[in-house]
């Protein structure tokens, strides 16, 4: 059993090196997880920490998941992470948070006022088979631009609550390795895979970062000024940014620009 | 002459708690011991800017060249007419200034554009700025920040300078990197000179705040916020607010 798990990790790291599309990489990771008993993942990272002061967790996190659609619908796509009870401890630096522990045990004083929200979401989670699993802290990458944190939630709905510890003991290390591979792939190797900016949008942001006015960008890219404005609006949406400054800053710190 | 000791002394000095000005002065003195009597230092936050906006806008430059030379050249021409700046960001290593025609050839400057370089060359010669070398210091591949230095000697002939450079290259480059590291690691905020208010405003803009919010959070009037941003633009040599935020971010002056 041990050897097979190791083999799965090695095979994944080999095949990730050969992937060409982002969809492929994501599917490969999902397959690897599946073989070890994980039937749903939710991966996210936070490019700009300063946003956290005035925006919700869902707004500031680049997030992608393979959890049941009914679960996402029940919570609402715009609020997926806002009442995720594993998020506050994760941001405090806790590295493993089990889902089957009742949230009351984990909640800290400062989120007391939102307690009912967390409780509601926890119940929704239970209804949709999201009650067994674990949230992992993946990385605090300190580069020239400070800290970027990322984390992943692994859902193991086929495993009974009381068996989880035993399961984790066997598979935990391998699952962490797979998660590290996925983290490197989507944050460092191919960060655009989760944002999906097209070349035109990247060009516009690059020129904006280098200080060109809309008019100049329009001239250089042979487009109308209106098209440039629309392009920035699309980029803002994809980056979940509020202003153009914000979109440029976010794209820069994610590593999408090379001005 | 033992330059080795001077370099060790210098690297000890910059590790101490000194201001940017005293580090600059100490480095200039060490350069002078070897025979360099004028230095120019520049940081380039975005390489593409050199081609989009011209070198003088792209490079955050500080120098100790003769005042008369700088006045005659004019602030815009200081680096725009310096072909080595754009060659530097294209990936060229050290370049001596002796054979400027050869440099123009390398940079593919069309013959009709060479006039301004010829004028500049005459100014350079008048102030004995034609013997020197441009040194490539550091290229950060993730963010594209580059820095470089110009070293000038006013007393030697062309040939003497080339020989001098071949002999002392190692020492001179060591002093260059000491200055570079010190500025980038410890003195970047004072090199750019942003105040706390300016930094806060940039930070708010970076995290997506609207103007009205910044006014409220900083307890400033609309006019004051606008003026703060225009000071930021000026200090960061930025044309737009995006540009200022982007530059501050890659220089590590604001946190992501």
């Amino acid at each position: 059993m041990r050897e097979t798990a190791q083999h799965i990790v090695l095979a994944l790291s080999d095949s990730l090196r050969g992937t060409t599309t982002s969809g492929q990489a994501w599917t490969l990771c999902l397959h690897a997880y599946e073989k070890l008993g994980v039937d749903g993942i939710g991966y996210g990272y936070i490019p700009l920490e300063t946003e956290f002061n005035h925006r919700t967790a869902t707004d500031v996190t680049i997030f992608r998941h393979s959890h049941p659609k009914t679960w996402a619908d029940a919570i609402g796509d715009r609020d997926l992470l806002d009442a995720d009870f594993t998020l506050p401890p994760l941001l405090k630096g806790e590295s493993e948070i089990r889902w089957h522990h009742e949230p009351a045990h984990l909640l800290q004083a400062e989120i007391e006022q939102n307690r009912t929200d967390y409780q509601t979401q926890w119940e929704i989670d239970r209804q949709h088979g999201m009650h067994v699993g674990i949230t992992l802290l993946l990385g605090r990458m300190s580069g020239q631009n400070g800290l970027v944190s990322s984390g992943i939630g692994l859902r193991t709905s086929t495993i009974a609550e009381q068996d989880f510890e035993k399961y984790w003991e066997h598979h935990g290390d391998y699952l962490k390795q797979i998660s590290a591979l996925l983290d490197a792939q989507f944050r460092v190797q191919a960060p655009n895979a989760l944002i999906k900016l097209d070349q035109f949008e990247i060009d516009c942001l690059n020129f904006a970062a280098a200080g060109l006015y809309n008019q100049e960008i329009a001239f250089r890219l042979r487009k109308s000024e209106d098209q440039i404005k629309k392009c920035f609006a699309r980029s803002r949406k994809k980056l979940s940014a509020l202003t153009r400054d914000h979109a440029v800053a976010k794209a820069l710190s994610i590593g999408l620009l090379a001005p | 002459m033992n330059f080795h000791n001077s370099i060790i002394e210098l690297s000890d000095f910059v590790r101490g708690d000194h201001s940017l000005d005293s580090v600059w002065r100490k480095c200039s003195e060490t350069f002078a011991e070897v025979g360099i009597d004028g230095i120019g230092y520049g940081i380039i936050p975005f390489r593409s800017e050199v081609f989009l906006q011209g070198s003088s806008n792209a490079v955050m430059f500080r120098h100790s060249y003769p005042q008369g030379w700088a006045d005659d050249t004019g602030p815009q021409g200081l680096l725009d007419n310096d072909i080595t700046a754009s060659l530097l960001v294209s990936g060229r290593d050290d370049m001596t200034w002796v054979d400027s025609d050869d440099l123009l050839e390398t940079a593919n400057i069309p013959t009709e554009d060479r006039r301004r370089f010829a004028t500049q060359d005459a100014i350079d010669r008048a102030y004995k700025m034609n013997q020197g070398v441009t040194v490539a210091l550091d290229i950060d591949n993730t963010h594209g920040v580059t820095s470089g230095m110009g070293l000038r000697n006013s007393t030697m002939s062309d040939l003497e300078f080339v020989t001098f450079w071949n002999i002392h290259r190692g020492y001179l480059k060591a002093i260059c990197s000491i200055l570079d590291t010190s500025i980038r690691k410890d003195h970047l905020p004072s090199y750019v000179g942003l105040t706390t208010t300016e930094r806060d405003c940039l930070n708010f803009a970076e995290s997506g705040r609207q103007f009205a919010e910044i006014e409220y959070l900083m307890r400033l009037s609309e006019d004051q916020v606008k003026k703060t941003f225009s000071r930021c633009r000026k200090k960061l040599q930025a044309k737009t607010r995006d540009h200022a935020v982007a530059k501050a971010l890659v220089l590590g002056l604001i946190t992501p």
Side-chain angles (χ1 to χ4, degrees):
Chain A
M1 186 67 205
R2 264 183 169 268
E3 264 167 9
T4 355
Q6 197 162 24
H7 184 77
I8 293 168
V9 176
L10 285 174
L12 175 67
S13 108
D14 270 349
S15 44
L16 276 182
R17 232 169 288 151
T19 50
T20 43
T21 67
S22 55
Q24 227 177 350
W26 183 257
T27 321
L28 282 169
C29 292
L30 284 186
H31 278 316
Y33 278 121
E34 215 171 293
K35 286 184 198 154
L36 294 175
V38 173
D39 50 6
I41 65 167
Y43 168 75
Y45 70 98
I46 300 165
L48 288 176
E49 288 190 5
T50 42
E51 278 181 89
F52 237 119
N53 299 328
H54 62 115
R55 304 189 74 197
T56 63
T58 315
D59 287 337
V60 303
T61 312
I62 312 281
F63 187 67
R64 181 168 179 182
H65 72 93
S66 69
H67 294 314
K69 180 109 187 20
T70 49
W71 168 79
D73 288 343
I75 297 172
D77 264 339
R78 300 292 313 135
D79 315 294
L80 277 184
L81 301 170
D82 295 346
D84 185 329
F85 77 90
T86 63
L87 210 54
L90 186 76
L91 291 166
K92 283 223 164 95
E94 209 162 301
S95 56
E96 298 177 3
I97 303 128
R98 270 102 174 129
W99 292 2
H100 55 272
H101 292 295
E102 190 130 6
H105 297 299
L106 288 152
L107 288 181
Q108 309 288 331
E110 74 255 34
I111 47 175
E112 198 113 316
Q113 68 268 28
N114 305 343
R115 176 159 299 193
T116 47
D117 292 349
Y118 286 92
Q119 199 72 39
T120 320
Q121 174 152 355
W122 195 66
E123 266 146 31
I124 296 175
D125 288 354
R126 307 218 102 191
Q127 283 161 21
H128 294 92
M130 299 269 299
H131 55 292
V132 187
I134 191 162
T135 296
L136 300 175
L137 175 75
L138 290 179
R140 297 204 147 245
M141 181 173 72
S142 61
Q144 189 203 2
N145 287 338
L147 300 163
V148 182
S149 3
S150 64
I152 194 166
L154 307 176
R155 163 180 178 253
T156 54
S157 58
T158 50
I159 293 169
E161 270 177 43
Q162 62 272 21
D163 298 336
F164 185 80
E165 288 312 319
K166 211 170 156 203
Y167 164 79
W168 187 246
E169 199 179 304
H170 275 289
H171 294 92
D173 287 343
Y174 299 110
L175 291 173
K176 280 186 196 166
Q177 286 169 19
I178 297 178
S179 306
L181 287 173
L182 182 138
D183 189 32
Q185 177 73 24
F186 288 103
R187 205 172 49 165
V188 187
Q189 304 284 344
N192 198 16
L194 296 183
I195 323 272
K196 300 199 175 68
L197 291 178
D198 61 35
Q199 195 52 47
F200 179 35
E201 287 152 2
I202 291 179
D203 288 343
C204 282
L205 289 169
N206 257 326
F207 281 134
L212 263 55
Y213 299 118
N214 274 354
Q215 223 176 349
E216 295 172 292
I217 301 177
F219 174 75
R220 279 186 189 267
L221 294 173
R222 310 225 179 347
K223 303 268 181 183
S224 73
E225 243 183 288
D226 197 46
Q227 282 172 305
I228 301 295
K229 275 186 194 154
K230 280 190 182 141
C231 174
F232 276 118
R234 281 200 304 278
S235 318
R236 275 206 305 280
K237 201 165 168 204
K238 288 186 184 178
L239 289 157
S240 111
L242 297 168
T243 62
R244 214 175 86 168
D245 302 331
H246 192 194
V248 170
K250 218 166 174 177
L252 257 179
S253 77
I254 294 172
L256 300 171
L257 307 183
Chain B
M1 276 196 285
N2 194 348
F3 300 135
H4 211 86
N5 288 340
S6 314
I7 286 173
I8 293 171
E9 196 195 317
L10 177 68
S11 76
D12 277 345
F13 179 85
V14 298
R15 231 171 290 143
D17 204 6
H18 297 286
S19 71
L20 174 62
D21 283 338
S22 55
V23 167
W24 181 269
R25 204 162 39 239
K26 183 80 181 166
C27 286
S28 305
E29 284 165 14
T30 316
F31 273 123
E33 276 177 46
V34 192
I36 294 295
D37 47 14
I39 59 172
Y41 172 82
I43 297 180
I44 306 162
F46 297 128
R47 268 177 284 176
S48 68
E49 245 193 290
V50 171
F51 307 105
L52 292 169
Q53 315 269 25
S55 306
S56 295
N57 293 323
V59 185
M60 310 181 96
F61 191 62
R62 180 179 169 138
H63 69 91
S64 67
Y65 297 138
Q67 190 57 46
W69 172 80
D71 291 344
D72 281 4
T73 311
Q76 203 60 33
L78 222 51
L79 293 167
D80 281 359
N81 293 346
D82 182 351
I83 193 64
T84 59
S86 53
L87 284 171
L88 192 80
V89 289
S90 318
R92 272 283 296 259
D93 208 357
D94 315 330
M95 288 160 276
T96 50
W97 302 345
V98 176
D99 193 352
S100 45
D101 284 341
D102 181 46
L103 291 174
L104 290 178
E105 205 64 57
T106 324
N108 270 328
I109 302 289
T111 332
E112 60 271 21
D113 281 353
R114 291 196 187 179
R115 273 253 303 283
R116 66 188 170 109
F117 292 103
T119 324
Q120 185 59 40
D121 203 43
I123 302 176
D124 289 354
R125 277 175 201 284
Y127 287 98
K128 296 197 160 73
M129 282 286 292
N130 53 326
Q131 275 112 43
V133 61
T134 299
V135 183
L137 285 174
D138 189 44
I139 292 180
D140 172 346
N141 277 320
T142 33
H143 298 104
V145 184
T146 309
S147 59
M149 279 198 79
L151 307 176
R152 164 220 187 214
N153 174 287
S154 56
T155 49
M156 294 176 199
S157 73
D158 288 359
L159 198 63
E160 276 170 352
F161 186 80
V162 173
T163 329
F164 164 81
W165 171 244
N166 284 333
I167 296 170
H168 296 303
R169 181 199 297 255
Y171 286 120
L172 293 172
K173 286 179 87 162
I175 307 173
C176 289
S177 20
I178 290 173
L179 179 65
D180 185 41
T181 318
S182 172
I183 291 181
R184 279 157 171 271
K185 252 184 67 197
D186 306 325
H187 299 296
L188 213 47
S190 57
Y191 190 80
V192 180
L194 291 181
T195 63
T196 320
T197 312
E198 287 156 3
R199 243 188 1 229
D200 287 347
C201 281
L202 285 172
N203 240 327
F204 282 135
E206 174 224 38
S207 60
R209 303 270 194 179
Q210 311 280 350
F211 251 78
E213 286 179 276
I214 301 178
E215 287 157 27
Y216 171 75
L217 290 160
M218 301 283 300
R219 312 274 187 280
L220 293 173
S221 71
E222 194 184 338
D223 200 45
Q224 282 170 312
V225 171
K226 276 189 186 149
K227 277 188 181 144
T228 309
F229 276 115
S230 84
R231 279 199 305 277
C232 292
R233 280 205 303 279
K234 201 164 168 203
K235 289 182 181 174
L236 287 157
Q237 297 174 197
K239 269 172 71 190
T240 63
R241 214 174 66 196
D242 304 327
H243 196 195
V245 170
K247 268 187 169 175
L249 189 63
V250 294
L251 289 171
L253 298 169
I254 53 176
T255 49

